Amino acid sequence: MDITTGKVRSALVVGGGVAGPVTAMALQQAGIAATIYEAYDGPADEVGGGMGLAPNGFEAFDAIGVGDAIRAVSTPMNGIVLQSWNGRRLATFGTLPGLDPTRFVMRSELFRTLRQAAEARGITTVHGKRIVDATEDADGVTARFADGTTATADVLIGADGLRSTVRRLIDPSSPAPQFAGTAGFGAMVRDAGVAPTDGMMIMAFGKRCFFAWQVLDDGTGIWFVNLPVPQPLSVNEQREKGGAHWLAHLKQVCEGDATPAAQMLDATDPEAMLFTGSTENMPTNVVWSRGRLVLTGDAAHAPSSSSGQGASLAAESSVELARCLRDLPLPQALARYEELRRPRVERIIKETARTNARKAAGPVARVVRDALLPVMFKMTKPEKNAWQFRYPIDFEAPVG
Ligand SMILES: Cc1cc2nc3c(=O)[nH]c(=O)nc-3n(C[C@H](O)[C@H](O)[C@H](O)COP(=O)(O)OP(=O)(O)OC[C@H]3O[C@@H](n4cnc5c(N)ncnc54)[C@H](O)[C@@H]3O)c2cc1C
Protein backbone atom coordinates (compact mmCIF):
# COMPACT_ATOMS: atom_id res chain seq x y z
CA MET A 1 0.00 0.00 0.00
CA ASP A 2 1.27 3.48 -0.80
CA ILE A 3 1.57 5.10 2.64
CA THR A 4 1.14 8.67 1.41
CA THR A 5 -1.85 8.15 -0.91
CA GLY A 6 -3.48 5.06 0.65
CA LYS A 7 -3.72 3.50 -2.80
CA VAL A 8 -3.08 -0.18 -3.37
CA ARG A 9 0.08 -1.40 -5.03
CA SER A 10 -0.46 -5.16 -5.16
CA ALA A 11 -3.37 -7.53 -5.70
CA LEU A 12 -4.24 -11.21 -5.40
CA VAL A 13 -6.64 -12.07 -8.21
CA VAL A 14 -8.55 -15.28 -7.45
CA GLY A 15 -9.79 -17.07 -10.59
CA GLY A 16 -8.28 -17.51 -14.02
CA GLY A 17 -11.45 -17.47 -16.19
CA VAL A 18 -12.43 -14.28 -18.01
CA ALA A 19 -12.52 -11.70 -15.22
CA GLY A 20 -9.25 -12.90 -13.62
CA PRO A 21 -6.84 -12.25 -16.50
CA VAL A 22 -8.71 -9.10 -17.58
CA THR A 23 -8.47 -7.72 -14.03
CA ALA A 24 -4.78 -8.59 -13.75
CA MET A 25 -3.94 -6.96 -17.10
CA ALA A 26 -5.99 -3.85 -16.28
CA LEU A 27 -4.31 -3.60 -12.87
CA GLN A 28 -0.88 -3.88 -14.47
CA GLN A 29 -1.86 -1.07 -16.86
CA ALA A 30 -2.89 0.91 -13.76
CA GLY A 31 0.51 0.33 -12.16
CA ILE A 32 -0.67 -2.30 -9.67
CA ALA A 33 1.14 -5.65 -9.53
CA ALA A 34 -1.22 -8.63 -9.70
CA THR A 35 -0.86 -12.40 -9.51
CA ILE A 36 -3.65 -14.78 -10.56
CA TYR A 37 -4.48 -17.79 -8.36
CA GLU A 38 -6.56 -20.45 -10.15
CA ALA A 39 -8.10 -23.51 -8.50
CA TYR A 40 -7.56 -25.87 -11.44
CA ASP A 41 -4.20 -27.55 -11.89
CA GLY A 42 -3.73 -26.44 -15.48
CA PRO A 43 -5.14 -24.07 -18.09
CA ALA A 44 -8.85 -24.59 -18.81
CA ASP A 45 -8.28 -24.24 -22.56
CA GLU A 46 -10.27 -27.35 -23.33
CA VAL A 47 -13.47 -26.10 -21.70
CA GLY A 48 -15.96 -26.51 -24.53
CA GLY A 49 -18.84 -24.56 -25.97
CA GLY A 50 -19.20 -21.29 -27.77
CA MET A 51 -20.31 -17.90 -26.60
CA GLY A 52 -21.31 -14.51 -27.92
CA LEU A 53 -19.21 -11.50 -27.05
CA ALA A 54 -21.13 -8.25 -27.21
CA PRO A 55 -19.65 -4.99 -28.54
CA ASN A 56 -19.60 -3.52 -25.02
CA GLY A 57 -17.32 -6.39 -23.99
CA PHE A 58 -14.95 -5.47 -26.80
CA GLU A 59 -14.80 -1.89 -25.50
CA ALA A 60 -13.40 -3.33 -22.27
CA PHE A 61 -11.04 -5.71 -24.09
CA ASP A 62 -9.82 -2.80 -26.24
CA ALA A 63 -9.21 -0.68 -23.15
CA ILE A 64 -6.50 -3.16 -22.13
CA GLY A 65 -5.28 -3.89 -25.66
CA VAL A 66 -6.56 -7.45 -26.11
CA GLY A 67 -9.58 -6.68 -28.34
CA ASP A 68 -7.82 -7.44 -31.61
CA ALA A 69 -6.41 -10.73 -30.36
CA ILE A 70 -9.96 -11.81 -29.43
CA ARG A 71 -11.36 -10.55 -32.76
CA ALA A 72 -8.79 -12.77 -34.49
CA VAL A 73 -10.23 -15.90 -32.88
CA SER A 74 -13.92 -14.97 -33.17
CA THR A 75 -16.43 -14.45 -35.98
CA PRO A 76 -19.06 -11.72 -36.35
CA MET A 77 -22.72 -12.68 -36.02
CA ASN A 78 -25.09 -10.79 -38.31
CA GLY A 79 -27.92 -10.96 -35.85
CA ILE A 80 -30.51 -13.07 -34.08
CA VAL A 81 -33.92 -14.22 -35.31
CA LEU A 82 -36.54 -15.18 -32.75
CA GLN A 83 -39.26 -17.49 -33.98
CA SER A 84 -42.20 -19.41 -32.65
CA TRP A 85 -42.57 -23.23 -32.63
CA ASN A 86 -44.39 -23.05 -35.99
CA GLY A 87 -41.63 -21.04 -37.69
CA ARG A 88 -43.42 -17.71 -37.39
CA ARG A 89 -40.84 -14.95 -37.12
CA LEU A 90 -41.37 -13.05 -33.86
CA ALA A 91 -38.47 -10.62 -34.14
CA THR A 92 -35.14 -10.01 -35.83
CA PHE A 93 -32.25 -8.27 -34.13
CA GLY A 94 -29.59 -7.05 -36.51
CA THR A 95 -26.50 -5.13 -35.60
CA LEU A 96 -27.48 -1.72 -34.29
CA PRO A 97 -26.30 1.28 -36.32
CA GLY A 98 -22.94 2.52 -35.16
CA LEU A 99 -22.20 -0.66 -33.22
CA ASP A 100 -19.94 -3.56 -34.09
CA PRO A 101 -21.65 -6.94 -34.31
CA THR A 102 -21.65 -9.42 -31.47
CA ARG A 103 -18.94 -12.00 -32.18
CA PHE A 104 -19.00 -15.73 -31.66
CA VAL A 105 -16.01 -17.32 -29.94
CA MET A 106 -15.26 -20.78 -28.68
CA ARG A 107 -14.87 -20.54 -24.92
CA SER A 108 -11.56 -22.43 -25.15
CA GLU A 109 -10.18 -19.83 -27.61
CA LEU A 110 -11.24 -16.93 -25.40
CA PHE A 111 -9.61 -18.48 -22.33
CA ARG A 112 -6.44 -19.31 -24.28
CA THR A 113 -6.18 -15.80 -25.77
CA LEU A 114 -6.61 -14.07 -22.42
CA ARG A 115 -4.20 -16.44 -20.69
CA GLN A 116 -1.54 -15.96 -23.38
CA ALA A 117 -1.97 -12.17 -23.36
CA ALA A 118 -1.50 -12.09 -19.58
CA GLU A 119 1.53 -14.39 -19.82
CA ALA A 120 3.06 -12.22 -22.57
CA ARG A 121 2.81 -9.25 -20.21
CA GLY A 122 4.67 -11.11 -17.49
CA ILE A 123 1.64 -11.75 -15.30
CA THR A 124 1.94 -14.96 -13.31
CA THR A 125 -0.92 -17.43 -13.01
CA VAL A 126 -0.41 -19.93 -10.21
CA HIS A 127 -2.47 -23.09 -10.79
CA GLY A 128 -3.77 -25.55 -8.20
CA LYS A 129 -4.60 -22.73 -5.76
CA ARG A 130 -8.15 -23.05 -4.48
CA ILE A 131 -8.83 -20.25 -2.02
CA VAL A 132 -10.47 -21.40 1.22
CA ASP A 133 -10.01 -18.46 3.56
CA ALA A 134 -8.72 -14.91 3.83
CA THR A 135 -7.61 -12.78 6.76
CA GLU A 136 -6.81 -9.10 6.77
CA ASP A 137 -5.09 -6.58 8.99
CA ALA A 138 -3.79 -3.04 8.71
CA ASP A 139 -0.93 -4.17 6.46
CA GLY A 140 -2.72 -6.32 3.92
CA VAL A 141 -4.83 -9.36 3.14
CA THR A 142 -3.65 -12.97 3.20
CA ALA A 143 -5.33 -15.67 1.17
CA ARG A 144 -5.13 -19.27 2.37
CA PHE A 145 -5.36 -22.00 -0.25
CA ALA A 146 -6.55 -25.59 0.06
CA ASP A 147 -2.95 -26.87 -0.24
CA GLY A 148 -2.02 -24.96 2.93
CA THR A 149 -0.02 -22.23 1.20
CA THR A 150 -0.74 -18.51 1.56
CA ALA A 151 -0.23 -15.30 -0.38
CA THR A 152 -0.43 -11.69 0.77
CA ALA A 153 -1.11 -8.37 -0.98
CA ASP A 154 -2.88 -5.03 -0.47
CA VAL A 155 -6.18 -6.21 -1.92
CA LEU A 156 -7.85 -9.53 -2.82
CA ILE A 157 -10.09 -9.63 -5.87
CA GLY A 158 -12.56 -12.49 -6.19
CA ALA A 159 -12.90 -13.34 -9.87
CA ASP A 160 -13.87 -16.89 -8.97
CA GLY A 161 -17.13 -17.19 -10.85
CA LEU A 162 -20.76 -17.97 -10.13
CA ARG A 163 -20.01 -20.22 -7.13
CA SER A 164 -17.48 -17.79 -5.68
CA THR A 165 -15.74 -18.65 -2.44
CA VAL A 166 -14.58 -15.05 -2.04
CA ARG A 167 -18.25 -13.97 -2.11
CA ARG A 168 -18.86 -16.17 0.95
CA LEU A 169 -15.74 -14.85 2.66
CA ILE A 170 -17.03 -11.32 2.19
CA ASP A 171 -20.53 -12.21 3.39
CA PRO A 172 -21.21 -15.73 4.70
CA SER A 173 -24.94 -15.12 4.22
CA SER A 174 -24.55 -14.11 0.58
CA PRO A 175 -27.24 -15.52 -1.71
CA ALA A 176 -26.59 -18.55 -3.92
CA PRO A 177 -27.44 -18.73 -7.63
CA GLN A 178 -31.11 -19.60 -8.20
CA PHE A 179 -32.41 -22.31 -10.46
CA ALA A 180 -33.98 -20.69 -13.55
CA GLY A 181 -36.15 -23.61 -14.70
CA THR A 182 -34.19 -25.05 -17.61
CA ALA A 183 -31.11 -27.20 -18.30
CA GLY A 184 -28.63 -26.54 -21.10
CA PHE A 185 -27.31 -28.83 -23.84
CA GLY A 186 -25.39 -28.05 -27.00
CA ALA A 187 -22.90 -29.22 -29.57
CA MET A 188 -20.86 -28.23 -32.56
CA VAL A 189 -21.58 -30.35 -35.64
CA ARG A 190 -19.06 -30.66 -38.45
CA ASP A 191 -21.60 -31.32 -41.21
CA ALA A 192 -24.98 -30.11 -40.03
CA GLY A 193 -26.85 -31.12 -43.19
CA VAL A 194 -28.86 -27.92 -42.89
CA ALA A 195 -28.83 -24.72 -44.99
CA PRO A 196 -26.43 -21.98 -43.81
CA THR A 197 -28.17 -19.28 -41.77
CA ASP A 198 -26.41 -16.30 -43.34
CA GLY A 199 -24.53 -15.36 -40.20
CA MET A 200 -27.74 -15.33 -38.14
CA MET A 201 -28.45 -17.33 -35.03
CA ILE A 202 -32.03 -18.57 -35.08
CA MET A 203 -33.74 -19.09 -31.75
CA ALA A 204 -37.02 -20.94 -31.62
CA PHE A 205 -39.40 -20.94 -28.66
CA GLY A 206 -40.51 -24.52 -29.30
CA LYS A 207 -43.57 -26.12 -27.76
CA ARG A 208 -41.56 -28.05 -25.20
CA CYS A 209 -38.06 -26.52 -25.34
CA PHE A 210 -36.01 -23.63 -26.65
CA PHE A 211 -33.80 -24.60 -29.61
CA ALA A 212 -31.20 -22.29 -31.20
CA TRP A 213 -28.96 -22.94 -34.17
CA GLN A 214 -26.53 -21.33 -36.56
CA VAL A 215 -24.99 -22.95 -39.63
CA LEU A 216 -21.87 -21.47 -41.20
CA ASP A 217 -21.24 -21.42 -44.95
CA ASP A 218 -18.89 -24.42 -44.67
CA GLY A 219 -21.73 -26.52 -43.20
CA THR A 220 -20.48 -26.39 -39.61
CA GLY A 221 -23.40 -26.01 -37.25
CA ILE A 222 -23.83 -25.00 -33.64
CA TRP A 223 -26.96 -25.75 -31.67
CA PHE A 224 -28.08 -25.37 -28.10
CA VAL A 225 -31.20 -26.28 -26.20
CA ASN A 226 -32.76 -24.95 -23.02
CA LEU A 227 -34.94 -27.76 -21.79
CA PRO A 228 -37.52 -26.96 -19.07
CA VAL A 229 -36.86 -29.27 -16.10
CA PRO A 230 -38.85 -29.51 -12.85
CA GLN A 231 -35.79 -29.41 -10.62
CA PRO A 232 -32.09 -28.52 -10.93
CA LEU A 233 -30.06 -30.86 -13.13
CA SER A 234 -26.30 -30.89 -12.57
CA VAL A 235 -23.69 -31.42 -15.27
CA ASN A 236 -22.77 -34.72 -13.60
CA GLU A 237 -26.38 -35.91 -13.71
CA GLN A 238 -26.51 -34.97 -17.40
CA ARG A 239 -23.23 -36.80 -18.07
CA GLU A 240 -24.33 -39.92 -16.20
CA LYS A 241 -27.19 -40.44 -18.64
CA GLY A 242 -24.85 -39.89 -21.57
CA GLY A 243 -25.03 -38.13 -24.93
CA ALA A 244 -27.03 -40.83 -26.73
CA HIS A 245 -29.80 -40.70 -24.10
CA TRP A 246 -30.10 -36.93 -24.29
CA LEU A 247 -29.94 -36.76 -28.08
CA ALA A 248 -32.87 -39.19 -28.28
CA HIS A 249 -34.77 -37.30 -25.58
CA LEU A 250 -34.20 -33.89 -27.14
CA LYS A 251 -35.26 -35.20 -30.54
CA GLN A 252 -38.53 -36.30 -29.03
CA VAL A 253 -39.01 -33.02 -27.19
CA CYS A 254 -38.29 -30.95 -30.32
CA GLU A 255 -40.64 -33.02 -32.49
CA GLY A 256 -43.36 -31.00 -34.16
CA ASP A 257 -41.48 -27.70 -34.00
CA ALA A 258 -40.52 -26.03 -37.28
CA THR A 259 -36.76 -26.26 -36.69
CA PRO A 260 -33.95 -28.43 -38.09
CA ALA A 261 -33.48 -29.97 -34.63
CA ALA A 262 -33.94 -33.55 -35.85
CA GLN A 263 -31.26 -33.25 -38.56
CA MET A 264 -28.81 -31.44 -36.31
CA LEU A 265 -29.31 -33.82 -33.39
CA ASP A 266 -28.88 -36.79 -35.74
CA ALA A 267 -25.62 -35.29 -37.02
CA THR A 268 -24.27 -34.83 -33.47
CA ASP A 269 -21.64 -37.15 -32.07
CA PRO A 270 -22.98 -38.21 -28.64
CA GLU A 271 -19.45 -38.03 -27.26
CA ALA A 272 -19.09 -34.41 -28.36
CA MET A 273 -22.21 -33.22 -26.63
CA LEU A 274 -21.87 -30.33 -24.25
CA PHE A 275 -23.70 -30.32 -20.93
CA THR A 276 -24.04 -27.05 -19.08
CA GLY A 277 -26.29 -28.03 -16.17
CA SER A 278 -29.17 -25.91 -14.97
CA THR A 279 -29.55 -22.32 -16.06
CA GLU A 280 -29.27 -20.10 -13.04
CA ASN A 281 -29.98 -16.51 -12.15
CA MET A 282 -27.80 -14.79 -9.62
CA PRO A 283 -29.73 -12.66 -7.10
CA THR A 284 -28.58 -9.07 -7.15
CA ASN A 285 -28.35 -8.52 -3.39
CA VAL A 286 -24.72 -9.64 -3.27
CA VAL A 287 -22.35 -7.63 -1.08
CA TRP A 288 -19.53 -6.71 -3.43
CA SER A 289 -16.78 -5.80 -1.01
CA ARG A 290 -15.64 -5.82 2.60
CA GLY A 291 -12.38 -4.33 3.82
CA ARG A 292 -9.69 -5.46 1.38
CA LEU A 293 -11.85 -8.04 -0.39
CA VAL A 294 -13.84 -7.23 -3.52
CA LEU A 295 -15.66 -9.16 -6.26
CA THR A 296 -15.72 -8.89 -10.04
CA GLY A 297 -17.25 -10.88 -12.92
CA ASP A 298 -19.81 -13.59 -12.25
CA ALA A 299 -18.82 -13.63 -8.58
CA ALA A 300 -20.41 -10.18 -8.22
CA HIS A 301 -23.05 -10.16 -10.93
CA ALA A 302 -24.07 -12.98 -13.25
CA PRO A 303 -26.78 -12.42 -15.80
CA SER A 304 -28.36 -15.67 -16.97
CA SER A 305 -26.06 -17.74 -19.19
CA SER A 306 -28.31 -17.12 -22.19
CA SER A 307 -28.03 -13.34 -21.96
CA GLY A 308 -24.88 -13.21 -24.08
CA GLN A 309 -23.58 -10.60 -21.62
CA GLY A 310 -21.84 -12.50 -18.80
CA ALA A 311 -18.30 -12.37 -20.13
CA SER A 312 -18.73 -8.87 -21.50
CA LEU A 313 -19.98 -7.50 -18.17
CA ALA A 314 -17.19 -9.37 -16.40
CA ALA A 315 -14.62 -7.63 -18.61
CA GLU A 316 -16.24 -4.21 -18.12
CA SER A 317 -16.31 -4.52 -14.32
CA SER A 318 -12.74 -5.80 -14.16
CA VAL A 319 -11.40 -2.85 -16.15
CA GLU A 320 -13.45 -0.36 -14.13
CA LEU A 321 -12.26 -1.88 -10.84
CA ALA A 322 -8.65 -1.38 -11.92
CA ARG A 323 -9.32 2.29 -12.80
CA CYS A 324 -10.92 2.87 -9.39
CA LEU A 325 -8.03 1.23 -7.55
CA ARG A 326 -5.59 3.32 -9.58
CA ASP A 327 -7.25 6.64 -8.78
CA LEU A 328 -8.62 6.33 -5.25
CA PRO A 329 -7.52 5.03 -1.85
CA LEU A 330 -9.00 1.70 -0.84
CA PRO A 331 -12.36 2.31 0.82
CA GLN A 332 -13.34 5.04 -1.66
CA ALA A 333 -12.08 3.01 -4.64
CA LEU A 334 -14.40 0.11 -3.85
CA ALA A 335 -17.36 2.39 -3.16
CA ARG A 336 -16.84 4.21 -6.46
CA TYR A 337 -16.47 0.90 -8.31
CA GLU A 338 -19.82 -0.29 -7.04
CA GLU A 339 -21.43 3.06 -7.78
CA LEU A 340 -20.15 2.89 -11.38
CA ARG A 341 -21.13 -0.69 -12.02
CA ARG A 342 -24.13 -1.85 -9.96
CA PRO A 343 -26.95 0.08 -11.68
CA ARG A 344 -25.88 -1.07 -15.14
CA VAL A 345 -25.36 -4.75 -14.34
CA GLU A 346 -28.56 -5.01 -12.32
CA ARG A 347 -30.58 -3.51 -15.15
CA ILE A 348 -29.15 -6.07 -17.59
CA ILE A 349 -29.73 -8.95 -15.14
CA LYS A 350 -33.38 -7.91 -14.80
CA GLU A 351 -33.86 -7.82 -18.58
CA THR A 352 -32.29 -11.24 -19.12
CA ALA A 353 -34.19 -12.95 -16.28
CA ARG A 354 -37.34 -12.01 -18.20
CA THR A 355 -36.03 -13.78 -21.32
CA ASN A 356 -35.39 -16.94 -19.30
CA ALA A 357 -38.95 -16.95 -18.01
CA ARG A 358 -40.16 -16.87 -21.63
CA LYS A 359 -38.09 -19.96 -22.44
CA ALA A 360 -39.66 -22.04 -19.68
CA ALA A 361 -43.20 -20.94 -20.56
CA GLY A 362 -46.06 -23.44 -20.19
CA PRO A 363 -48.79 -23.89 -22.83
CA VAL A 364 -50.90 -20.87 -21.80
CA ALA A 365 -47.94 -18.59 -21.24
CA ARG A 366 -46.61 -19.75 -24.64
CA VAL A 367 -49.70 -18.55 -26.47
CA VAL A 368 -49.58 -15.22 -24.65
CA ARG A 369 -45.85 -14.88 -25.30
CA ASP A 370 -46.14 -15.61 -29.02
CA ALA A 371 -49.00 -13.13 -29.36
CA LEU A 372 -47.33 -10.39 -27.37
CA LEU A 373 -43.69 -10.65 -28.40
CA PRO A 374 -44.09 -9.38 -32.00
CA VAL A 375 -46.17 -6.44 -30.74
CA MET A 376 -43.65 -5.67 -28.00
CA PHE A 377 -40.75 -5.82 -30.43
CA LYS A 378 -42.58 -3.64 -32.96
CA MET A 379 -43.29 -1.07 -30.27
CA THR A 380 -39.74 -1.16 -28.95
CA LYS A 381 -37.31 0.59 -31.22
CA PRO A 382 -34.07 -1.45 -31.40
CA GLU A 383 -32.13 1.68 -30.47
CA LYS A 384 -33.90 1.54 -27.12
CA ASN A 385 -31.77 -1.48 -26.23
CA ALA A 386 -28.55 0.06 -27.52
CA TRP A 387 -27.60 1.15 -23.99
CA GLN A 388 -26.79 -2.50 -23.21
CA PHE A 389 -24.25 -2.77 -25.99
CA ARG A 390 -22.48 0.57 -25.57
CA TYR A 391 -20.02 1.06 -22.76
CA PRO A 392 -17.09 3.19 -23.87
CA ILE A 393 -14.18 3.10 -21.45
CA ASP A 394 -11.53 5.80 -21.48
CA PHE A 395 -8.94 3.96 -19.42
CA GLU A 396 -6.76 7.02 -18.84
CA ALA A 397 -9.60 9.28 -17.67
CA PRO A 398 -9.73 9.67 -13.87
CA VAL A 399 -12.75 7.96 -12.28
CA GLY A 400 -13.57 11.03 -10.22
C1 LIG B 1 -23.82 -22.47 -20.90
C2 LIG B 1 -23.28 -21.09 -20.76
C3 LIG B 1 -23.33 -20.25 -21.86
C4 LIG B 1 -22.85 -18.95 -21.75
N1 LIG B 1 -22.90 -18.14 -22.83
C5 LIG B 1 -22.42 -16.88 -22.75
C6 LIG B 1 -22.43 -16.02 -23.87
O1 LIG B 1 -22.88 -16.39 -24.96
N2 LIG B 1 -21.89 -14.78 -23.74
C7 LIG B 1 -21.38 -14.35 -22.54
O2 LIG B 1 -20.90 -13.21 -22.47
N3 LIG B 1 -21.38 -15.13 -21.46
C8 LIG B 1 -21.87 -16.37 -21.53
N4 LIG B 1 -21.86 -17.18 -20.43
C9 LIG B 1 -21.39 -16.62 -19.16
C10 LIG B 1 -19.87 -16.52 -19.10
O3 LIG B 1 -19.30 -17.77 -19.30
C11 LIG B 1 -19.48 -15.95 -17.74
O4 LIG B 1 -20.21 -14.77 -17.50
C12 LIG B 1 -18.01 -15.64 -17.67
O5 LIG B 1 -17.27 -16.81 -17.88
C13 LIG B 1 -17.68 -15.00 -16.33
O6 LIG B 1 -16.31 -14.95 -16.16
P1 LIG B 1 -15.67 -15.06 -14.70
O7 LIG B 1 -14.22 -14.93 -14.92
O8 LIG B 1 -16.36 -14.13 -13.78
O9 LIG B 1 -16.03 -16.51 -14.20
P2 LIG B 1 -15.51 -17.91 -14.77
O10 LIG B 1 -15.28 -17.83 -16.23
O11 LIG B 1 -16.47 -18.92 -14.25
O12 LIG B 1 -14.10 -18.11 -14.09
C14 LIG B 1 -13.97 -18.33 -12.69
C15 LIG B 1 -12.63 -19.00 -12.44
O13 LIG B 1 -12.42 -19.06 -11.04
C16 LIG B 1 -11.90 -20.33 -10.71
N5 LIG B 1 -12.26 -20.62 -9.31
C17 LIG B 1 -13.48 -20.98 -8.83
N6 LIG B 1 -13.42 -21.15 -7.51
C18 LIG B 1 -12.14 -20.89 -7.14
C19 LIG B 1 -11.47 -20.91 -5.88
N7 LIG B 1 -12.08 -21.21 -4.72
N8 LIG B 1 -10.12 -20.59 -5.85
C20 LIG B 1 -9.47 -20.27 -7.02
N9 LIG B 1 -10.08 -20.25 -8.21
C21 LIG B 1 -11.39 -20.56 -8.28
C22 LIG B 1 -12.58 -21.27 -11.71
O14 LIG B 1 -11.87 -22.49 -11.85
C23 LIG B 1 -12.57 -20.43 -12.98
O15 LIG B 1 -11.40 -20.60 -13.73
C24 LIG B 1 -22.32 -18.49 -20.50
C25 LIG B 1 -22.25 -19.35 -19.40
C26 LIG B 1 -22.74 -20.64 -19.52
C27 LIG B 1 -22.68 -21.55 -18.31
Side-chain angles (χ1 to χ4, degrees):
M1 186 84 85
D2 188 305
I3 298 165
T4 48
T5 62
K7 292 182 191 168
V8 307
R9 287 223 171 124
S10 60
L12 311 174
V13 177
V14 177
V18 177
V22 172
T23 305
M25 286 187 270
L27 287 172
Q28 187 191 54
Q29 202 164 301
I32 299 165
T35 303
I36 302 169
Y37 295 88
E38 164 57 45
Y40 279 103
D41 284 335
D45 288 357
E46 298 317 318
V47 181
M51 63 203 295
L53 291 177
N56 49 298
F58 276 95
E59 306 223 40
F61 293 134
D62 283 333
I64 55 162
V66 293
D68 284 343
I70 299 173
R71 282 185 192 90
V73 295
S74 58
T75 42
M77 291 163 67
N78 292 343
I80 292 174
V81 174
L82 291 187
Q83 65 180 48
S84 184
W85 68 275
N86 55 8
R88 183 162 75 97
R89 197 168 273 224
L90 300 174
T92 304
F93 301 97
T95 301
L96 288 168
L99 281 177
D100 287 340
T102 288
R103 300 180 74 91
F104 179 82
V105 67
M106 293 310 288
R107 186 178 289 263
S108 52
E109 292 288 354
L110 176 64
F111 279 34
R112 183 179 297 120
T113 306
L114 289 173
R115 181 176 57 78
Q116 287 176 346
E119 255 171 38
R121 295 169 191 205
I123 294 167
T124 303
T125 301
V126 192
H127 288 280
K129 298 288 173 187
R130 180 172 295 278
I131 192 170
V132 290
D133 199 7
T135 48
E136 49 181 318
D137 58 28
D139 295 327
V141 54
T142 299
R144 192 164 58 78
F145 301 103
D147 63 1
T149 58
T150 59
T152 301
D154 292 337
V155 67
L156 187 156
I157 299 170
D160 52 344
L162 197 59
R163 301 187 185 286
S164 169
T165 299
V166 179
R167 186 168 63 223
R168 266 193 297 103
L169 295 175
I170 288 177
D171 175 12
S173 66
S174 65
Q178 286 170 351
F179 173 52
T182 66
F185 303 83
M188 189 164 201
V189 184
R190 285 279 157 241
D191 186 4
V194 172
T197 54
D198 195 22
M200 305 294 277
M201 174 152 282
I202 306 175
M203 300 182 164
F205 293 104
K207 277 195 278 193
R208 288 178 295 272
C209 73
F210 177 89
F211 182 83
W213 76 100
Q214 177 162 7
V215 180
L216 308 181
D217 291 342
D218 67 0
T220 307
I222 309 141
W223 63 263
F224 70 86
V225 167
N226 288 128
L227 176 72
V229 284
Q231 59 208 33
L233 188 64
S234 70
V235 173
N236 280 344
E237 286 167 332
Q238 287 177 310
R239 274 199 199 120
E240 267 165 29
K241 293 199 168 168
H245 164 87
W246 287 114
L247 285 171
H249 182 66
L250 293 177
K251 207 170 149 186
Q252 214 179 8
V253 171
C254 293
E255 205 177 281
D257 293 338
T259 70
Q263 296 94 303
M264 294 190 80
L265 294 169
D266 278 344
T268 302
D269 172 2
E271 297 301 314
M273 226 176 129
L274 181 74
F275 302 116
T276 57
S278 302
T279 48
E280 291 176 313
N281 291 324
M282 189 64 212
T284 50
N285 54 332
V286 168
V287 178
W288 284 20
S289 65
R290 177 179 57 79
R292 294 172 181 273
L293 275 65
V294 58
L295 302 173
T296 184
D298 274 9
H301 49 67
S304 88
S305 56
S306 52
S307 68
Q309 277 288 2
S312 296
L313 292 184
E316 284 181 13
S317 287
S318 300
V319 172
E320 293 293 52
L321 175 58
R323 289 180 62 224
C324 291
L325 290 170
R326 173 195 65 193
D327 293 346
L328 296 166
L330 197 51
Q332 289 95 318
L334 302 188
R336 180 75 181 121
Y337 162 62
E338 193 163 336
E339 193 177 62
L340 276 176
R341 296 298 301 155
R342 203 183 258 277
R344 172 172 167 77
V345 299
E346 290 195 350
R347 198 172 159 199
I348 292 179
I349 289 170
K350 212 164 139 194
E351 291 276 324
T352 55
R354 238 180 264 151
T355 314
N356 254 352
R358 287 180 193 134
K359 287 181 182 176
V364 177
R366 195 170 63 228
V367 173
V368 176
R369 176 197 65 205
D370 288 2
L372 287 186
L373 272 187
V375 183
M376 277 164 51
F377 288 126
K378 258 189 208 132
M379 282 165 52
T380 316
K381 288 199 167 63
E383 294 75 27
K384 234 181 143 186
N385 284 324
W387 63 270
Q388 264 195 50
F389 304 104
R390 270 194 200 112
Y391 192 78
I393 299 177
D394 178 355
F395 193 84
E396 299 311 324
V399 292

